[in-house]
Amino acid sequence: MNKVAIITGGGSGLGRSAALRLAKEKVNCVIVDVDEKGGNESVDMLKESGVDALFVKADVSKAEEVKHYVDETKNHFGRIDYFFNNAGISGSGKYFLETEVEEIDKIVGINLLGALYGIKYVGEVMLAQGSGAIVNTSSSAGVIGQDTVVTYSATKHGIVGLTKSLVAEYAKDGLRINAIAPGPTETPMVKQYFDANPKMKESAESGIPQNRLGTPEEVAELVTFLLTSDAPYINGEVIRIDGGFTNTKF
Ligand code: NAD
C-alpha cells in the first residue's frame, strides 16, 4: 500500500520539490497551502507522476484550518505516514525595533504556531497508528543569529526546540521527528529576490564555502531520506544543508 504524506507549503519551493521527490517513492501526497493556484499545480504534477494527490486550502496559522486539513487527509487516505511541516514566510528585512507588531504576529503565527498546530493534529493520528515521521523546516537562521531576520530567526530556533522536545515525549511511541536547516536555497521566492538584486546574490554566495545557493532538489533528497524508512534510527536531529555556510559561523 502506498504511504501518505502531508506537505504544508506544498504549492511552491521546497514543499513542491519534496512532494515530487516523495512521489518517486510512490508516496500519495496531500498538498496544503494558502495559494490555491500553486497548490493545484502541484497536485496536477503529482498526478502526472502517477500518485494520488489532494489539495487542501488552509492557512496553517489557524488551528481550525489545520484540523481541517488533517480531517480531509484522514477522510481521503485513512492514514498519515509522513508530515513535511514546512509552510513559512520570511519578513520585510527591517531591523527588529523598526518592525511592525502585525509583521511579528504574522511570522510567529505561520512559522511557529502553524508548525505546532500541525504536529498537534497530525501527531494525534500518528500516535493512534503507532508510527509516523515528521520533518520540520527550520533554517540556517534557526541555528545561528543573523541581522534583519530577528523574528524569523526566533521562530526557526523555536522549530529546533520543538523538534528536540517532542522526541523526548513521543519517540517511544514510534514517532520520528527531525528538522532541516537549509541555507539560502534557490526557490522561486529567493530567485525572484536575487534576480532583482544581483549584488545581494553575489554577496550571499560569497559567504557560502561551496560558493553557490542550494537547490530545492537537494533539500528534497534530504527530506525524503529523513521521512522514509531509510532513516529509522535518526530522531530529534537538526540537519544543516547549507554548503558549509553555518559551519563558518560557529
Ligand atoms: P516559498 O515561498 O517558495 O514556499 C512557501 C509556501 O508556503 C508557498 O506556497 C506559500 O503560499 C505557503 N504559505 C505561506 N503562508 C502560508 C500559510 N499561512 N498557510 C499555508 N501555506 C502558506 O518558500 P520556500 O523557500 O519553499 O520556503 C519553505 C520553507 O523553507 C519555509 O518555512 C522557509 O522559511 C524555509 N526556508 C527556506 C529557505 C530558502 O532559502 N528558500 C531557507 C531556509 C528555510
Side-chain angles (χ1 to χ4, degrees):
M1 196 174 62
N2 290 23
K3 301 280 189 188
V4 177
I6 295 179
I7 297 113
T8 67
S12 174
L14 301 187
R16 175 180 286 174
S17 282
L20 292 172
R21 178 63 187 80
L22 285 165
K24 287 191 183 163
E25 307 298 320
K26 304 278 171 254
V27 175
N28 293 330
C29 295
V30 176
I31 298 292
V32 174
D33 208 296
V34 274
D35 173 13
E36 237 171 305
K37 185 170 174 287
N40 281 317
E41 272 172 16
S42 293
V43 163
D44 290 345
M45 293 163 94
L46 287 161
K47 284 185 173 164
E48 270 168 36
S49 73
V51 295
D52 194 1
L54 176 74
F55 171 61
V56 183
K57 184 176 180 182
D59 176 347
V60 299
S61 69
K62 301 199 168 100
E64 66 279 11
E65 295 191 25
V66 172
K67 185 172 182 314
H68 173 68
Y69 76 63
V70 172
D71 287 344
E72 287 291 293
T73 305
K74 275 194 299 181
N75 291 341
H76 192 84
F77 287 114
R79 57 181 297 111
I80 308 168
D81 299 287
Y82 308 137
F83 180 38
F84 186 29
N85 197 8
N86 163 75
I89 56 167
S90 49
S92 60
K94 290 180 188 160
Y95 268 34
F96 183 67
L97 299 183
E98 289 150 24
T99 307
E100 306 289 340
V101 167
E102 290 74 16
E103 180 179 323
I104 297 170
D105 288 353
K106 188 170 179 196
I107 296 172
V108 173
I110 295 172
N111 293 8
L112 192 53
L113 291 179
L116 286 162
Y117 296 152
I119 289 168
K120 177 167 171 50
Y121 291 110
V122 172
E124 281 174 3
V125 178
M126 291 180 166
L127 194 64
Q129 290 170 179
S131 68
I134 297 174
V135 168
N136 301 310
T137 303
S138 179
S139 165
S140 50
V143 293
I144 59 167
Q146 281 182 280
D147 64 359
T148 73
V149 290
V150 169
T151 309
Y152 179 81
S153 174
T155 63
K156 295 300 186 180
H157 275 78
I159 294 287
V160 170
L162 71 88
T163 300
K164 293 178 177 175
S165 300
L166 279 162
V167 167
E169 294 188 355
Y170 295 108
K172 66 179 184 318
D173 301 302
L175 269 58
R176 288 192 309 103
I177 303 144
N178 292 291
I180 54 165
T185 307
E186 224 163 332
T187 59
M189 179 182 70
V190 169
K191 195 172 175 325
Q192 197 179 1
Y193 175 75
F194 282 139
D195 284 351
N197 304 278
K199 286 227 160 77
M200 294 299 287
K201 185 176 184 198
E202 273 170 40
S203 146
E205 285 173 338
S206 69
I208 299 170
Q210 276 186 238
N211 235 308
R212 66 168 176 86
L213 305 181
T215 70
E217 291 75 21
E218 287 166 333
V219 176
E221 285 298 328
L222 175 61
V223 174
T224 304
F225 170 72
L226 289 172
L227 285 177
T228 64
S229 54
D230 291 339
Y233 203 53
I234 299 180
N235 219 339
E237 285 297 331
V238 180
I239 306 211
R240 290 177 280 150
I241 174 160
D242 63 8
F245 171 56
T246 52
N247 253 324
T248 60
K249 309 290 175 194
F250 282 113

